[in-house]
Amino acid sequence: MKNCDEWKPFLVMIAIDISLTMVNILLKKVLQEGMNHLVFITYRLSVSTIFLAPIGYFKERNGRPRLTFQILCYLFFSAIIGASVTQYFFLLGMQYTSATFACAFVNMGPVITFIMALPFGIETVNIKCKGGQAKILGTFVCIGGALLLTLYKGKPLFDDSHYQSAVPPVAMRSAMDQDSTTRITQKWTIGVIALIMGTLFWSFWFILQSKIGKRYPCQYSSTAIMTFFGAMQAAILGLSTGSNLSTWVLKGKIQIITVLYSGIVGSSVCYVGMSWCVKKRGPVFTAAFSPLVQIMSGMIDISVLHEQLHLGSVVGSILVMIGLYILLWGKRKEMMQNGATKFAQEVEETKEQEPRV
């Protein structure tokens, strides 16, 4: 039974990654159709709130602690860095780069979460032991991979003819090429900056969630309140940016399906599951499953959506994943050493307490 409980967080995170992969693919599809980012986020978080509110009310009503103003402030800030603004950054980055690149960049999340967790005392590093050294090495390898992802796009790995619907004549291309290249470069740069901001916000969300989980240990209720705040924030941002009222009307089955699936599964079930995993295993463990999303998303992205794959994305992703798992190996090694040390101390204390004859 104990062995089964140890595997539960792993299985939950794998299921979450599969669900988030489908969210990413559907998102890319509706963004290509021209759906407004903030409109999508507002609807997605509203669906999540409507879905989770009754579950949280009835399931946690007996053991729910008092909702203080301080906890509400935590949840409001959690909505900014984990739902509304962060999702906007990721959607913008995904639109201007690609779903594969966005997922690969998010792989930096576990390392950034680890670095952010150090000042809060959630994570520690002992440079004298192998575990601590592996953590530091993994961090630097991961950062190197992320820099490669950001600064080097590289050659396309597939035949361009599969990814271009029509090629203009040579006479027209000479006038179009320079302007087109400039626009693509500008969009790529904006996309990368948006992904950097989104990754920083998302990493800090795991740290904040570990604090919220201790003060208000009700995953359903806290997620419902967070998504409610996030929906309000996204709606205010959407209306203040002067978006046309026609953009708030969902067009076609794919947009409706994407909003419902993203709200019920992506922002409800997955957020509750991640909050539970943060509570059980900590923020770094939960953030460490991001590479699975990238692998699954990349497979579907290339085969179904026919997106181009570049050398820089592949090499950078491999380095990020190698660094990530060196970091996780170091974390596991350090936990085993700490557990052995703690056990030895308990044995010594027990011996000292035994009566001497």
Side-chain angles (χ1 to χ4, degrees):
M1 190 70 183
K2 185 182 177 183
N3 209 19
C4 182
D5 289 338
E6 286 179 1
W7 280 97
K8 275 183 182 177
F10 288 94
L11 297 174
V12 168
M13 284 309 304
I14 289 169
I16 286 170
D17 284 348
I18 293 169
S19 303
L20 290 177
T21 299
M22 292 307 300
V23 170
N24 282 349
I25 301 304
L26 288 169
L27 273 179
K28 185 68 178 177
K29 204 72 177 168
V30 296
L31 288 177
Q32 286 174 345
E33 291 179 1
M35 189 174 186
N36 185 284
H37 300 87
L38 292 168
V39 170
F40 170 79
I41 294 167
T42 303
Y43 284 145
R44 172 182 178 172
L45 295 176
S46 299
V47 169
S48 176
T49 304
I50 294 166
F51 178 76
L52 282 176
I55 298 174
Y57 177 77
F58 290 107
K59 190 177 177 65
E60 299 171 335
R61 59 182 172 180
N62 294 326
R64 188 188 297 116
R66 193 166 66 91
L67 189 64
T68 63
F69 179 74
Q70 187 182 32
I71 293 170
L72 279 174
C73 289
Y74 273 123
L75 291 170
F76 184 84
F77 188 59
S78 176
I80 293 173
I81 65 170
S84 56
V85 177
T86 302
Q87 282 190 33
Y88 177 72
F89 281 140
F90 278 136
L91 292 179
L92 188 67
M94 191 186 298
Q95 186 184 24
Y96 285 171
T97 56
S98 70
T100 309
F101 184 86
C103 288
F105 205 89
V106 173
N107 286 347
M108 270 297 292
V111 173
I112 297 172
T113 304
F114 168 68
I115 294 169
M116 287 180 172
L118 290 173
F120 292 96
I122 301 170
E123 288 288 334
T124 56
V125 176
N126 183 3
I127 57 173
K128 293 181 180 179
C129 69
K130 287 183 179 179
Q133 292 165 5
K135 280 182 173 182
I136 295 168
L137 176 63
T139 301
F140 280 109
V141 172
C142 211
I143 290 170
L147 288 172
L148 188 64
L149 267 173
T150 310
L151 302 175
Y152 176 67
K153 190 173 181 180
K155 295 180 179 180
L157 300 181
F158 298 103
D159 185 6
D160 285 347
S161 61
H162 293 288
Y163 303 91
Q164 294 173 359
S165 56
V167 180
V170 177
M172 292 174 64
R173 286 210 307 268
S174 59
M176 293 167 60
D177 279 352
Q178 190 173 358
D179 185 47
S180 177
T181 305
T182 305
R183 283 203 308 270
I184 290 168
T185 305
Q186 286 175 347
K187 282 189 174 183
W188 188 269
T189 304
I190 292 169
V192 169
I193 293 169
L195 288 172
I196 290 170
M197 295 301 297
T199 305
L200 288 172
F201 278 23
W202 183 238
S203 299
F204 190 70
W205 181 81
F206 288 105
I207 305 296
L208 183 62
Q209 201 59 36
S210 67
K211 300 290 183 184
I212 293 171
K214 292 175 182 176
R215 294 171 181 267
Y216 196 71
C218 303
Q219 281 86 30
Y220 294 97
S221 301
S222 63
T223 306
I225 296 166
M226 184 194 74
T227 53
F228 171 72
F229 282 144
M232 286 199 308
Q233 292 160 3
I236 292 167
L237 280 171
L239 294 169
S240 62
T241 51
S243 58
N244 204 329
L245 290 176
S246 62
T247 60
W248 292 85
V249 180
L250 296 178
K251 300 160 188 173
K253 288 182 181 178
I254 187 68
Q255 290 191 4
I256 296 169
I257 291 168
T258 303
V259 166
L260 290 174
Y261 180 82
S262 300
I264 295 170
V265 179
S267 292
S268 298
V269 178
C270 291
Y271 271 76
V272 169
M274 284 188 290
S275 299
W276 180 81
C277 287
V278 168
K279 185 180 175 182
K280 291 290 181 182
R281 289 295 181 90
V284 176
F285 170 87
T286 309
F289 282 79
S290 303
L292 281 178
V293 181
Q294 183 236 331
I295 293 167
M296 291 183 282
S297 181
M299 289 167 63
I300 299 172
D301 225 13
I302 295 162
S303 59
V304 178
L305 299 183
H306 304 295
E307 281 212 359
Q308 184 57 272
L309 191 65
H310 293 85
L311 181 63
S313 296
V314 173
V315 178
S317 299
I318 291 169
L319 281 174
V320 167
M321 291 172 69
I322 290 170
L324 173 62
Y325 287 107
I326 292 172
L327 169 65
L328 287 177
W329 180 86
K331 181 175 169 60
R332 179 174 173 78
K333 192 82 174 173
E334 211 170 56
M335 283 174 65
M336 290 170 65
Q337 288 173 343
N338 290 339
T341 306
K342 189 177 179 182
F343 178 74
Q345 287 174 349
E346 286 175 357
V347 170
E348 286 294 324
E349 287 173 5
T350 306
K351 286 181 178 177
E352 288 175 3
Q353 288 172 4
E354 286 179 358
R356 295 181 181 178
V357 180

